[in-house]
Amino acid sequence: MEKHHVVTMLSEQEIDARIRELGMEISRDYAGKSIHLICILKGSVYFTCELAKRITIPVTMDFMQCSSYGAATKSSGVVRLDKDLDEPITDRHVLIIEDIIDSGRTLNHLKKLLSQRNPASLKICTLLDKPDRRVVDVDVEYVGFQIEDKFVVGYGLDYDQQYRNLPYIGVVEFE
């Protein structure tokens, strides 16, 4: 592995405050309804759990796993579904929870796949958005932070399975 170090981009306090705001916004937008969160594994687990705790309407949850990175720092462009949902989403208000949107390929693929399953509504919430890296246009209704094109880790995001457990978002700087 190359020599590198991690520099803080977003502190634990900044992330926590923004997730509280997103929780309030989602609760307001879905008032009187229940919402079904789909956590995209593995990176979104931390964000999904923290967000779910801050949503005040009824919440159910399921998990999907897709891959397009492997051990690389750039998307391979090929989206593979590694784990599908355990429950049907027909007539449910579904919110896909993602850790980061980069090229947009994974979310575009997932949104098409899930819309065919007839949810009552289907929206996207991401902790981080890198619009400069977008290859495929994707509508994202809830964005935690828009960030510049840097390779980031922490709060569920990893570099070759390391750094997911950092309580902040950091930039990997290679030496």
Side-chain angles (χ1 to χ4, degrees):
M1 195 184 299
E2 302 173 68
K3 280 192 105 170
H4 61 277
H5 63 280
V6 178
V7 177
T8 303
M9 174 187 269
L10 295 165
S11 72
E12 184 175 6
Q13 293 75 19
E14 289 173 289
I15 296 167
D16 188 57
R18 183 64 185 125
I19 292 173
R20 283 182 193 285
E21 291 169 2
L22 286 169
M24 287 189 304
E25 190 179 336
I26 291 164
S27 299
R28 194 174 46 246
D29 291 353
Y30 289 89
K33 302 173 180 149
S34 63
I35 190 163
H36 188 65
L37 306 180
I38 296 180
C39 173
I40 307 303
L41 297 172
K42 298 177 184 170
S44 301
V45 170
Y46 293 80
F47 178 44
T48 303
C49 291
E50 292 302 315
L51 181 63
K53 290 191 304 190
R54 289 161 176 87
I55 295 174
T56 57
I57 57 169
V59 170
T60 55
M61 195 181 300
D62 205 344
F63 301 87
M64 288 186 96
Q65 186 169 6
C66 305
S67 55
S68 65
Y69 282 84
T73 59
K74 294 215 185 305
S75 172
S76 66
V78 177
V79 178
R80 190 178 76 221
L81 185 61
D82 299 322
K83 184 212 173 300
D84 204 343
L85 298 173
D86 293 329
E87 303 172 26
I89 59 169
T90 307
D91 298 325
R92 294 172 107 169
H93 294 284
V94 174
L95 187 58
I96 301 169
I97 310 294
E98 185 60 285
D99 53 359
I100 188 167
I101 300 177
D102 195 312
S103 70
R105 287 186 186 105
T106 302
L107 264 288
N108 185 54
H109 176 79
L110 278 181
K111 203 160 184 184
K112 283 180 187 170
L113 176 72
L114 294 174
S115 351
Q116 295 168 359
R117 299 180 186 184
N118 303 313
S121 66
L122 181 62
K123 294 184 178 179
I124 296 171
C125 176
T126 187
L127 178 60
L128 304 174
D129 185 19
K130 278 191 199 177
D132 293 346
R133 299 269 305 142
R134 200 74 86 245
V135 174
V136 179
D137 194 35
V138 179
D139 288 330
V140 183
E141 289 78 9
Y142 304 98
V143 175
F145 300 92
Q146 237 182 40
I147 63 169
E148 56 187 296
D149 185 15
K150 304 245 183 209
F151 190 73
V152 291
V153 294
Y155 217 84
L157 295 141
D158 73 301
Y159 172 54
D160 202 16
Q161 297 299 327
Q162 294 184 36
Y163 305 116
R164 285 190 197 279
N165 62 319
L166 295 177
Y168 59 88
I169 302 288
V171 177
V172 177
E173 293 186 350
F174 297 94
E175 297 169 14

